Amino acid sequence: MLVSDLGLPRRCADPFLNPTTGIESAFRKSRQPRPESLQRVMDAMGTFLLSSSAATMARFEGAAVVHLLQKRGAAPGRTGGANTSFLLRAECAQAIERLASTSDDGQLLAHGLNDLLDDLVWYRGRSGPYASANFEREHAHAILAGPGGIEERSDLRIGLTVMGPYTRFPDHEQTDSRVVLALSEGEFQSDGSCWFRERIGSSLFFPPGRLFAMRCTESPLLTLWCQRLRA
């Protein structure tokens, strides 16, 4: 059953994005080399997105993201400590350890993410229809590249999301296309479909205008997501 069938709003604030202002001011942007750990993450992410096993649209959109990443944005110079108060450290560590055990590419991505965790600015997105009661305290997002990210740029956004066990993301209507890379096993839903489970390394494409949700059970859910931004 769709959210609209119950009279609940389909279009709400994007739960992936930061609902507050000023939280990303820990960075002073300057033209410096891309951090090595961020480059490792981007290289490994690209390998997964361009894999022959990826779904066609996820691979197509992923190729566009990888192409944009050939041009580097502004790298950071610190003006203060990163905001790690929302970081679910134990949950991230569990998911990253599992990711590292899956393949060489998974290990490369896991090591890069592990090196970045304390440099990321973490925040919580807005809740919404059907979110679990623990959603607000059991999730965190951070931007790796894009507005307010470790690499400041206006053409795309790459984010990391972690959710604690037994957490359900709110239903929301996608306003922009988004590719989600599952870094742990989890369950996803699109436009009121049945829940489907994805393995580590799976990439999923969600076009605009579709309802999206994800959830996890006894294990944390860790995802990388990326979207091109409109000029």
Side-chain angles (χ1 to χ4, degrees):
M1 181 177 292
L2 296 179
V3 175
S4 57
D5 295 336
L6 299 179
L8 296 174
R10 292 187 61 182
R11 186 177 295 277
C12 58
D14 192 334
F16 281 103
L17 303 186
N18 193 347
T20 64
T21 58
I23 196 170
E24 292 126 348
S25 61
F27 296 106
R28 179 182 65 254
K29 308 303 175 182
S30 60
R31 290 288 174 181
Q32 299 177 13
R34 180 178 287 165
E36 182 181 346
S37 53
L38 181 59
Q39 186 64 57
R40 289 204 305 270
V41 169
M42 291 179 173
D43 288 343
M45 180 188 73
T47 299
F48 282 108
L49 293 178
L50 300 179
S51 168
S52 60
S53 63
T56 301
M57 283 305 300
R59 189 165 65 250
F60 176 83
E61 190 68 16
V65 169
V66 169
H67 175 72
L68 290 174
L69 287 173
Q70 304 310 302
K71 180 180 179 181
R72 301 188 178 191
R78 280 290 184 193
T79 62
N83 172 16
T84 60
S85 59
F86 294 149
L87 171 59
L88 304 177
R89 192 172 299 278
E91 289 79 1
C92 274
Q94 181 180 341
I96 287 174
E97 182 178 6
R98 177 75 180 92
L99 172 64
S101 70
T102 58
S103 65
D104 290 343
D105 292 324
Q107 187 176 64
L108 182 66
L109 181 52
H111 288 171
L113 288 172
N114 198 52
D115 290 343
L116 281 178
L117 289 183
D118 287 331
D119 290 327
L120 294 170
V121 177
W122 295 89
Y123 62 91
R124 289 179 179 145
R126 297 187 188 279
S127 188
Y130 300 125
S132 56
N134 65 343
F135 173 72
E136 290 192 6
R137 69 177 184 275
E138 289 294 325
H139 86 282
H141 306 292
I143 302 299
L144 280 68
I150 284 184
E151 181 170 296
E152 180 75 26
R153 53 194 305 145
S154 60
D155 54 350
L156 59 82
R157 183 183 285 114
I158 299 174
L160 182 68
T161 295
V162 58
M163 299 199 310
Y166 300 104
T167 302
R168 188 198 191 283
F169 206 75
D171 284 9
H172 75 285
E173 187 177 279
Q174 299 271 121
T175 55
D176 295 291
S177 298
R178 182 177 280 132
V179 175
V180 177
L181 178 61
L183 305 184
S184 62
E185 292 183 347
E187 297 181 352
F188 300 84
Q189 188 182 62
S190 178
D191 241 11
S193 68
C194 294
W195 289 94
F196 52 93
R197 192 166 187 84
E198 292 293 338
R199 58 180 176 78
I200 297 174
S202 297
S203 55
L204 303 92
F205 174 76
F206 297 97
R210 300 281 186 89
L211 286 179
F212 169 82
M214 58 186 181
R215 68 184 184 185
C216 54
T217 52
E218 69 274 5
S219 298
L221 178 62
L222 185 66
T223 63
L224 264 175
W225 45 273
C226 50
Q227 59 187 140
R228 289 183 289 169
L229 301 179
R230 303 176 213 176

